[in-house]
């Protein structure tokens, strides 16, 4: 039995995690394993209840879990808050840092059935299938930050150690070996010292993976290439903030941010969450797209070793798209509700498992 900690968070978080749990339970049933779900608070919902976006209890539970599923954090009420104890995002940044979730993986691939939703031309997006390895616990996000005494100057330091670069680069190289042996480092080595250390370190590691063809692009060029010729990419490894920006941009290729899952690997455990935000305007309306969270749940099951179940979920999402059982971001003419999409995917997982057995 595996213990999964669910952190529903804010906005649409509770609804989309409910659907992901529904689908995981269906997969567990169909493939004969047991999952145990526990819950804890994070983000604005924790600020309201506990006065802090990342209560100790949440961290303690996270440390004991085999894997963590997160919905989303953030509410407009807290925009512009200066006190870190009143900033929902601090819950997310806090758990990443505390659990040392240093490697954030964001797969980007097009779905045949929703190609028309992309603002990019079909001939550009055809064949897109890459993955961004974003460093998640270092860089400018976590450096010293502050203001000068007169308040007229602000700073956010960016630093990286060889160790921090090596541990994510190793995972990126391994992924390149599983794919077509192409790795791209996106950096700003023409300007930044941290980027030069990234280049040196990632280049030196190439001798351990001699079959991998390592390439480099400056991040500004990479940002352009991602929408110009996305099919050129396979595995992109990059630092924290570059990866943040590049992954939102990459979601445009697919046509909906509601389709982009993510996995964050750490030393002890891993956390899975959609790449989108908490979409507070849709909260409680049963209209939000649960697919990115359901696909994140598939990555979670894969991480726990339930590969067939994970694959079955991905196939069921494909079927939902093909049969247009989709929320209004994808099928505005005849939208299904959040829970109806979850029901369909859960049932499809079960039905496909039955067919596979016979
Ligand atoms: C993400 C988000 C977060 C980030 C925010 C909410 C702090 O944009 O997961 O990409 O910048 O990492
Ligand atoms: Mn982001």
């Amino acid at each position: 039995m595996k213990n999964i900690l669910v952190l529903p968070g804010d906005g649409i978080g509770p609804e989309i995690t409910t659907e992901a749990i529904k689908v995981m339970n269906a997969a567990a049933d169909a493939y004969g394993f047991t999952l145990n779900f526990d819950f804890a608070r994070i983000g604005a919902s924790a600020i309201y209840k506990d006065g802090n976006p990342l209560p100790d209890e949440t961290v303690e539970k996270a440390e004991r879990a085999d894997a963590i599923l997160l919905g989303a954090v953030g509410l407009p009420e807290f925009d512009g808050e200066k006190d870190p104890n009143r900033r929902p995002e601090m819950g997310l940044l806090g758990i990443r840092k505390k659990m040392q979730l240093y490697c954030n993986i964001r797969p980007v691939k097009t779905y045949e059935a929703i190609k028309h939703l992309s603002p990019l031309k079909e001939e550009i997006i055809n064949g897109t299938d890459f993955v961004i390895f974003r460093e998640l616990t270092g860089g400018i996000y976590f450096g010293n930050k502050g203001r000068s005494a007169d308040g007229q100057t602000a700073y956010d330091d960016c630093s990286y150690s060889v160790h921090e670069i090596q541990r994510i680069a190793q995972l990126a190289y391994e992924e390149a070996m599983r794919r077509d042996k192409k790795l791209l480092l996106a950096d700003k080595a023409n300007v930044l010292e941290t980027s030069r250390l990234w280049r040196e370190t990632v280049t030196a590691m190439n001798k351990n993976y001699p079959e991998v063809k390592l390439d480099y692009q400056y991040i500004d060029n990479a940002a352009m290439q991602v929408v110009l010729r996305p099919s050129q990419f396979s595995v992109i490894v990059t630092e924290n903030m570059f990866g943040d920006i590049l992954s939102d941009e990459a979601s445009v290729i697919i046509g909906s941010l509601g389709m982009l899952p993510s996995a964050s690997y750490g030393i002890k455990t891993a956390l899975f969450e959609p790449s989108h935000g908490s979409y507070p305007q849709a909260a409680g309306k049963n209209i939000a797209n649960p697919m990115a969270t359901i696909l994140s749940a598939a990555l979670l099951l894969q991480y726990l070793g339930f590969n067939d179940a994970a694959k079955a979920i991905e196939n069921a999402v494909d079927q939902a798209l093909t049969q247009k059982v989709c929320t209004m971001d994808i099928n505005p003419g005849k939208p299904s509700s959040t829970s109806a999409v979850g029901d369909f995917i859960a049932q499809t997982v079960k039905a496909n498992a039955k067919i596979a057995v016979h």
Side-chain angles (χ1 to χ4, degrees):
M1 190 178 70
K2 297 290 184 185
N3 292 310
I4 298 173
L5 178 67
V6 183
L7 306 174
D10 310 322
I12 57 170
E15 294 160 69
I16 55 182
T17 48
T18 298
E19 297 318 310
I21 293 169
K22 189 189 278 176
V23 172
M24 282 192 276
N25 274 328
D29 255 16
Y31 290 87
F33 55 88
T34 317
L35 300 172
N36 178 42
F37 294 98
D38 193 7
F39 295 84
R41 285 186 292 276
I42 195 167
S45 53
I47 297 177
Y48 285 130
K49 277 245 164 134
D50 313 273
N52 161 3
L54 186 62
D56 292 343
E57 192 194 327
T58 301
V59 177
E60 281 154 25
K61 286 185 170 185
E63 272 163 0
R64 288 198 302 270
D66 293 308
I68 305 162
L69 180 76
L70 186 137
V73 297
L75 282 188
E77 284 93 302
F78 295 95
D79 281 355
E81 276 287 350
K82 292 215 175 68
D83 175 0
N85 276 332
R86 291 186 57 77
R87 287 221 309 272
E89 299 76 31
M90 291 308 287
L92 186 56
L93 297 177
I95 199 163
R96 287 174 179 171
K97 193 70 178 174
K98 279 238 162 80
M99 309 299 299
Q100 281 295 299
L101 301 167
Y102 60 86
C103 178
N104 179 230
I105 303 176
R106 296 184 168 178
V108 181
K109 64 168 194 172
T110 49
Y111 290 88
E112 209 45 52
I114 57 165
K115 272 186 178 166
H116 61 279
L117 292 177
S118 175
L120 301 177
K121 294 194 190 93
E122 204 177 314
E123 65 259 33
I124 288 182
I125 66 174
N126 275 343
T128 299
D129 183 3
F130 65 90
V131 54
I132 299 174
F133 276 59
R134 168 189 175 195
E135 202 291 325
L136 204 59
T137 50
I140 195 168
Y141 271 61
F142 293 98
N144 281 329
K145 44 188 93 250
R147 302 270 175 110
S148 60
D150 66 0
Q152 296 303 296
T153 307
Y155 57 89
D156 298 274
D157 290 347
C158 180
S159 80
Y160 269 108
S161 68
V162 168
H163 168 69
E164 286 175 304
I165 301 166
Q166 277 173 341
R167 60 184 183 177
I168 181 170
Q170 184 185 335
L171 297 183
Y173 269 114
E174 285 167 7
E175 179 69 8
M177 285 301 289
R178 281 189 292 272
R179 290 177 165 241
D180 55 2
K181 304 189 169 55
K182 276 171 57 189
L183 178 62
L184 182 99
L185 170 63
D187 65 22
K188 192 75 190 171
N190 50 347
V191 179
L192 301 177
E193 198 55 37
T194 42
S195 284
R196 287 191 274 269
L197 188 63
W198 272 78
R199 257 195 206 209
E200 275 166 41
T201 308
V202 176
T203 306
M205 290 171 75
N206 205 174
K207 67 173 186 308
N208 306 332
Y209 306 89
E211 289 164 67
V212 174
K213 165 118 179 48
L214 176 64
D215 267 318
Y216 316 89
Q217 269 174 18
Y218 294 138
I219 184 66
D220 47 350
N221 181 31
M224 180 180 72
Q225 297 292 337
V226 152
V227 284
L228 201 60
R229 206 165 56 80
S231 62
Q232 71 184 280
F233 298 112
S234 181
V235 182
I236 303 177
V237 64
T238 191
E239 64 99 74
N240 201 343
M241 189 155 77
F242 295 160
D244 178 46
I245 298 169
L246 204 61
S247 57
D248 261 35
E249 191 196 2
S251 76
V252 170
I253 302 168
I254 306 177
S256 171
L257 193 51
M259 294 304 300
L260 218 63
S262 92
S264 303
Y265 292 104
I267 291 161
K268 267 211 247 159
T269 186
L271 180 149
F272 301 81
E273 57 173 321
S275 294
H276 59 68
S278 59
Y279 192 14
Q281 306 85 327
K285 294 188 180 155
N286 203 15
I287 57 171
N289 186 351
M291 285 179 173
T293 316
I294 291 171
L295 291 167
S296 302
L299 295 176
L300 184 157
L301 294 184
Q302 192 182 26
Y303 167 74
L304 294 178
F306 304 121
N307 293 329
D308 293 344
K311 194 80 216 127
I313 294 175
E314 285 169 5
N315 288 341
V317 168
D318 251 342
Q319 270 169 269
L321 291 172
T322 313
Q323 295 180 34
K324 297 196 165 49
V325 185
C326 302
T327 44
M328 63 191 209
D329 51 319
I330 293 186
N331 190 6
K334 204 163 164 281
S336 301
S337 66
T338 308
S339 51
V341 171
D343 286 341
F344 178 90
I345 295 170
Q347 279 154 19
T348 306
V349 165
K350 284 195 170 183
N352 289 355
K354 273 209 192 98
I355 298 168
V357 166
H358 286 288

